[in-house]
Amino acid sequence: MKLSTKIRYGTRALVYIAAFGKNRYVSISEISEKENISLKYLENIMTLLKSSGLLRSMQGAGGGYYLAKSIDELTLADIMYSISGPIFLVRCLSEYECNREMECVLKDVWNDVNNVLDKKLRSIKLKNIVKKRKRKIKSFA
Amino acid sequence: MKLSTKIRYGTRALVYIAAFGKNRYVSISEISEKENISLKYLENIMTLLKSSGLLRSMQGAGGGYYLAKSIDELTLADIMYSISGPIFLVRCLSEYECNREMECVLKDVWNDVNNVLDKKLRSIKLKNIVKKRKRKIKSFA
DNA sequence: TAATATCCTACTAAACTAATAGGAATTATA
DNA sequence: TATAATTCCTATTAGTTTAGTAGGATATTA
Ligand code: FES
Ligand code: FES
């Protein structure tokens, strides 16, 4: 149970855009440089975030990415699920073709854990993170 | 974020022992058969559970495994951590040698998620699962 | 037309997961 | 004291996933 680099890098990229991308496009190369993430790898990640509708983009010189939704709306759940697909701790929670359901108590248990995790992830908005970030930076100044 | 087969099989094995192993030893072959888990693979898993102190064992004919603690004490957290090590969603939460801490807001965020998950896992006791199991079986009778 | 971007397709090394395999050591019991 | 049943110990292996790399096509601005 470790978060993948895709999720960690992707989250950092989104936080970066949320913090510095007001009314402008943010390029991958800028994020790559400031956040120390491999440019080409970040490209892959941005594609995922774009194709699930969290980001939009503008091609060509001066182009880049921008948030498709408000920072008050975007949550950690959105980010994680966009990158790695929805979280189902066990297969039986996503595939409804399961022949052990009758005997199996654990399904309910895992479902319970799954829900708690999901609820927590949905409660953390990009806005909260950006705010925290500002406070932190202020406290160092 | 899928649970490994080790965790799923290991949990089932423990639930089995908790349900059917009152005052007796339960052999791997019995669990393997009843729970449809590869004998040799289950052996590996039982070793993990034993060496982290959740199970004890008796060698030789008639031997097998038994719980080292009460079912009221053993939690899902115990089981999962015994099998796969403690959960730290990101490295920075376990290795205190981290040079980005100052700039990094996300550490607190991941820590928060980590704690919620841990708390939930610690709240689910083996006893609860066994009880559920009994109720379920009764409802089919 | 040159520079700066995203977009698209593909490949690859390393790590991890899920098993499998064979046999040694221990214990109960016939 | 054999024999069967069991845990214990050490390895190996096929498959999958992760993390990253590579090269070029396409679009936009200046
Ligand atoms: S194995 Fe499918 S519900 Fe448990
Ligand atoms: S990278 Fe270490 S605290 Fe965030």
Side-chain angles (χ1 to χ4, degrees), chain B residues 4-6 9 38 40-41 44 58-61:
Chain B
S4 65
T5 59
K6 280 191 180 173
Y9 295 171
S38 145
K40 277 299 195 176
Y41 194 40
N44 298 338
M58 177 66 177
Q59 227 172 340

Coordinates of all heavy atoms in Angstrom, one line a residue, chain B residues 4-6 9 38 40-41 44 58-61, chain C residues 17-28:
Chain B
S4 N -3.3 -7.3 -1.7 CA -2.6 -8.5 -2.2 C -3.3 -9.8 -1.9 O -4.1 -9.8 -0.9 CB -1.2 -8.5 -1.7 OG -1.2 -8.7 -0.3
T5 N -3.0 -10.8 -2.6 CA -3.6 -12.1 -2.3 C -3.1 -12.6 -0.9 O -3.9 -13.2 -0.2 CB -3.2 -13.2 -3.3 OG1 -1.8 -13.3 -3.4 CG2 -3.8 -12.8 -4.7
K6 N -1.9 -12.2 -0.6 CA -1.4 -12.6 0.7 C -2.3 -12.1 1.8 O -2.7 -12.8 2.8 CB 0.0 -12.1 0.9 CG 1.0 -13.0 0.3 CD 2.4 -12.6 0.7 CE 3.4 -13.6 0.0 NZ 4.8 -13.2 0.3
Y9 N -5.9 -13.9 1.5 CA -5.8 -15.2 2.0 C -5.5 -15.3 3.4 O -6.1 -16.1 4.2 CB -4.7 -16.0 1.2 CG -5.0 -16.2 -0.3 CD1 -4.0 -16.7 -1.1 CD2 -6.2 -15.8 -0.9 CE1 -4.2 -16.8 -2.5 CE2 -6.4 -15.9 -2.2 CZ -5.4 -16.5 -3.0 OH -5.6 -16.6 -4.4
S38 N -4.0 -22.4 -2.3 CA -2.9 -23.2 -2.5 C -2.1 -23.5 -1.2 O -1.8 -22.6 -0.5 CB -1.9 -22.6 -3.5 OG -0.6 -22.9 -3.2
K40 N 0.9 -24.6 -0.5 CA 2.3 -24.2 -0.4 C 2.3 -22.6 -0.2 O 3.1 -22.1 0.5 CB 3.1 -24.6 -1.6 CG 3.7 -26.0 -1.5 CD 4.6 -26.1 -0.2 CE 5.4 -27.4 -0.3 NZ 6.4 -27.4 0.9
Y41 N 1.4 -22.0 -0.9 CA 1.4 -20.5 -0.8 C 0.9 -20.1 0.6 O 1.5 -19.2 1.2 CB 0.5 -20.0 -1.9 CG 0.6 -18.5 -2.1 CD1 1.8 -17.8 -2.1 CD2 -0.5 -17.7 -2.3 CE1 1.9 -16.5 -2.3 CE2 -0.4 -16.3 -2.5 CZ 0.8 -15.7 -2.5 OH 0.9 -14.4 -2.7
N44 N 3.6 -20.1 3.2 CA 4.4 -18.8 3.3 C 3.7 -17.8 4.1 O 4.3 -17.1 5.0 CB 4.6 -18.2 1.9 CG 5.4 -19.1 1.0 OD1 6.1 -20.0 1.5 ND2 5.2 -19.0 -0.3
M58 N 2.1 -25.8 16.5 CA 2.5 -27.0 17.0 C 2.9 -27.9 15.9 O 2.1 -28.1 14.9 CB 1.3 -27.6 17.8 CG 1.6 -29.0 18.4 SD 2.9 -28.9 19.7 CE 2.9 -30.6 20.3
Q59 N 4.1 -28.4 15.9 CA 4.6 -29.3 14.8 C 4.1 -30.7 14.9 O 3.6 -31.1 16.0 CB 6.1 -29.2 14.8 CG 6.7 -29.0 13.4 CD 8.2 -28.8 13.5 OE1 8.7 -28.4 14.5 NE2 8.9 -28.9 12.4
G60 N 4.2 -31.5 13.9 CA 3.9 -32.9 14.0 C 2.5 -33.3 13.8 O 1.6 -32.4 13.7
A61 N 2.2 -34.6 13.7 CA 0.9 -35.1 13.5 C -0.1 -34.5 14.5 O 0.2 -34.4 15.7 CB 0.9 -36.6 13.6
Chain C
dT17 P 4.5 -6.4 -3.7 OP1 3.4 -5.5 -3.2 OP2 5.4 -7.0 -2.9 O5' 3.8 -7.5 -4.6 C5' 3.2 -7.1 -5.9 C4' 2.5 -8.3 -6.5 O4' 3.5 -9.1 -7.2 C3' 1.9 -9.3 -5.5 O3' 0.6 -9.6 -6.0 C2' 2.9 -10.5 -5.4 C1' 3.5 -10.4 -6.8 N1 4.9 -10.9 -7.0 C2 5.2 -11.7 -8.0 O2 4.4 -12.1 -8.8 N3 6.5 -12.1 -8.2 C4 7.6 -11.7 -7.3 O4 8.7 -12.1 -7.5 C5 7.2 -10.9 -6.2 C7 8.3 -10.4 -5.2 C6 5.9 -10.5 -6.1
dA18 P -0.3 -10.6 -5.2 OP1 -1.7 -10.2 -5.6 OP2 0.1 -10.5 -3.7 O5' 0.0 -12.0 -5.8 C5' -0.2 -12.2 -7.2 C4' 0.1 -13.6 -7.5 O4' 1.6 -13.8 -7.5 C3' -0.4 -14.7 -6.5 O3' -0.8 -15.8 -7.3 C2' 0.8 -15.0 -5.7 C1' 1.9 -14.9 -6.7 N9 3.3 -14.7 -6.2 C8 3.7 -14.1 -5.1 N7 5.0 -14.1 -4.9 C5 5.4 -14.7 -6.0 C6 6.7 -15.1 -6.5 N6 7.9 -14.8 -5.8 N1 6.9 -15.8 -7.6 C2 5.7 -16.1 -8.3 N3 4.5 -15.8 -8.0 C4 4.4 -15.1 -6.8
dA19 P -1.9 -16.8 -6.7 OP1 -2.7 -17.3 -7.8 OP2 -2.6 -16.0 -5.6 O5' -1.3 -18.0 -6.0 C5' -0.3 -18.4 -5.9 C4' 0.8 -18.8 -6.9 O4' 1.9 -18.1 -6.5 C3' 1.1 -20.3 -6.7 O3' 0.7 -21.0 -7.8 C2' 2.6 -20.3 -6.4 C1' 3.0 -18.9 -6.7 N9 4.1 -18.5 -5.8 C8 3.9 -17.9 -4.6 N7 5.1 -17.6 -4.0 C5 6.0 -18.2 -4.8 C6 7.4 -18.2 -4.8 N6 8.1 -17.7 -3.8 N1 8.1 -18.8 -5.8 C2 7.3 -19.3 -6.8 N3 6.0 -19.3 -7.0 C4 5.4 -18.7 -6.0
dT20 P 0.5 -22.6 -7.6 OP1 -0.3 -23.2 -8.7 OP2 0.1 -22.9 -6.2 O5' 2.0 -23.2 -7.7 C5' 2.8 -22.8 -8.8 C4' 4.2 -23.4 -8.7 O4' 4.9 -22.6 -7.7 C3' 4.2 -24.9 -8.2 O3' 4.9 -25.6 -9.1 C2' 4.9 -24.8 -6.8 C1' 5.7 -23.5 -6.9 N1 6.0 -22.8 -5.7 C2 7.3 -22.6 -5.3 O2 8.2 -23.0 -6.0 N3 7.5 -21.9 -4.1 C4 6.5 -21.4 -3.3 O4 6.8 -20.8 -2.3 C5 5.1 -21.7 -3.7 C7 4.0 -21.2 -2.9 C6 5.0 -22.3 -4.9
dA21 P 5.1 -27.2 -8.9 OP1 5.3 -27.8 -10.3 OP2 4.0 -27.7 -8.1 O5' 6.4 -27.3 -8.1 C5' 7.6 -26.6 -8.5 C4' 8.8 -27.2 -7.7 O4' 9.0 -26.3 -6.6 C3' 8.5 -28.6 -7.2 O3' 9.6 -29.4 -7.5 C2' 8.4 -28.3 -5.7 C1' 9.2 -27.1 -5.4 N9 8.7 -26.2 -4.3 C8 7.4 -25.9 -4.0 N7 7.3 -25.1 -3.0 C5 8.6 -24.9 -2.5 C6 9.2 -24.2 -1.5 N6 8.5 -23.5 -0.6 N1 10.6 -24.2 -1.4 C2 11.3 -24.9 -2.2 N3 10.9 -25.6 -3.3 C4 9.5 -25.6 -3.4
dG22 P 9.5 -31.0 -7.2 OP1 10.1 -31.7 -8.4 OP2 8.2 -31.3 -6.7 O5' 10.6 -31.1 -6.0 C5' 11.8 -30.4 -6.1 C4' 12.5 -30.5 -4.8 O4' 12.1 -29.5 -3.8 C3' 12.3 -31.9 -4.1 O3' 13.5 -32.4 -3.6 C2' 11.3 -31.6 -3.0 C1' 11.7 -30.2 -2.6 N9 10.7 -29.4 -1.9 C8 9.4 -29.4 -2.1 N7 8.7 -28.6 -1.3 C5 9.7 -28.0 -0.5 C6 9.6 -27.0 0.5 O6 8.6 -26.5 1.0 N1 10.9 -26.7 1.1 C2 12.0 -27.3 0.6 N2 13.1 -26.9 1.3 N3 12.2 -28.2 -0.3 C4 10.9 -28.5 -0.9
dG23 P 13.7 -33.9 -3.2 OP1 14.9 -34.5 -3.9 OP2 12.4 -34.6 -3.2 O5' 14.1 -33.8 -1.6 C5' 15.1 -32.8 -1.3 C4' 14.8 -32.3 0.1 O4' 13.6 -31.6 0.1 C3' 14.7 -33.3 1.2 O3' 15.6 -32.9 2.2 C2' 13.3 -33.2 1.6 C1' 13.1 -31.7 1.4 N9 11.7 -31.3 1.5 C8 10.6 -31.8 0.8 N7 9.5 -31.2 1.2 C5 9.8 -30.3 2.2 C6 9.1 -29.4 2.9 O6 7.8 -29.2 2.9 N1 9.8 -28.7 3.8 C2 11.2 -28.9 4.0 N2 11.8 -28.1 4.9 N3 11.9 -29.7 3.3 C4 11.2 -30.4 2.4
dA24 P 16.3 -34.1 3.1 OP1 17.7 -34.3 2.5 OP2 15.4 -35.2 3.3 O5' 16.5 -33.3 4.5 C5' 17.0 -32.0 4.5 C4' 16.5 -31.3 5.8 O4' 15.1 -30.9 5.6 C3' 16.6 -32.2 7.0 O3' 17.1 -31.4 8.1 C2' 15.2 -32.6 7.3 C1' 14.4 -31.4 6.7 N9 13.1 -31.8 6.2 C8 12.8 -32.7 5.2 N7 11.5 -32.8 4.9 C5 10.9 -31.9 5.8 C6 9.6 -31.5 6.0 N6 8.5 -32.0 5.3 N1 9.3 -30.6 7.0 C2 10.4 -30.1 7.7 N3 11.7 -30.4 7.6 C4 11.9 -31.3 6.6
dA25 P 17.4 -32.1 9.5 OP1 18.6 -31.3 10.1 OP2 17.4 -33.5 9.4 O5' 16.1 -31.7 10.3 C5' 15.9 -30.3 10.7 C4' 14.6 -30.2 11.5 O4' 13.5 -30.7 10.7 C3' 14.6 -31.1 12.7 O3' 14.2 -30.3 13.8 C2' 13.6 -32.2 12.4 C1' 12.7 -31.5 11.4 N9 12.0 -32.4 10.5 C8 12.6 -33.3 9.6 N7 11.7 -33.9 8.8 C5 10.5 -33.4 9.2 C6 9.2 -33.6 8.7 N6 8.9 -34.4 7.7 N1 8.2 -32.9 9.3 C2 8.5 -32.0 10.2 N3 9.7 -31.7 10.8 C4 10.7 -32.4 10.2
dT26 P 14.1 -31.0 15.3 OP1 14.3 -29.9 16.3 OP2 14.8 -32.3 15.3 O5' 12.5 -31.3 15.3 C5' 11.6 -30.2 15.3 C4' 10.2 -30.8 15.5 O4' 9.9 -31.7 14.3 C3' 10.0 -31.7 16.7 O3' 8.9 -31.1 17.4 C2' 9.7 -33.1 16.1 C1' 9.1 -32.7 14.8 N1 9.2 -33.7 13.7 C2 8.0 -34.1 13.0 O2 6.9 -33.6 13.4 N3 8.1 -35.0 12.0 C4 9.3 -35.6 11.6 O4 9.2 -36.4 10.7 C5 10.5 -35.2 12.3 C7 11.8 -35.8 11.9 C6 10.4 -34.3 13.3
dT27 P 8.6 -31.4 18.9 OP1 8.1 -30.1 19.5 OP2 9.8 -32.1 19.5 O5' 7.4 -32.4 18.9 C5' 6.2 -31.9 18.3 C4' 5.3 -33.1 17.9 O4' 5.8 -33.8 16.9 C3' 5.0 -34.1 19.0 O3' 3.7 -33.9 19.5 C2' 5.2 -35.5 18.4 C1' 5.3 -35.1 16.9 N1 6.1 -36.0 16.0 C2 5.4 -36.6 15.0 O2 4.3 -36.5 14.7 N3 6.3 -37.4 14.2 C4 7.6 -37.5 14.3 O4 8.3 -38.2 13.5 C5 8.2 -36.8 15.4 C7 9.7 -37.0 15.7 C6 7.4 -36.1 16.2
dA28 P 3.0 -34.7 20.6 OP1 2.1 -33.8 21.3 OP2 4.0 -35.4 21.4 O5' 2.2 -35.7 19.7 C5' 1.1 -35.3 19.0 C4' 0.4 -36.4 18.3 O4' 1.3 -37.1 17.4 C3' -0.2 -37.5 19.2 O3' -1.4 -37.8 18.8 C2' 0.8 -38.6 19.1 C1' 1.3 -38.5 17.7 N9 2.7 -38.9 17.4 C8 3.8 -38.6 18.2 N7 5.0 -39.1 17.7 C5 4.6 -39.7 16.5 C6 5.3 -40.4 15.5 N6 6.6 -40.6 15.5 N1 4.6 -40.9 14.5 C2 3.2 -40.8 14.5 N3 2.4 -40.1 15.3 C4 3.2 -39.6 16.3

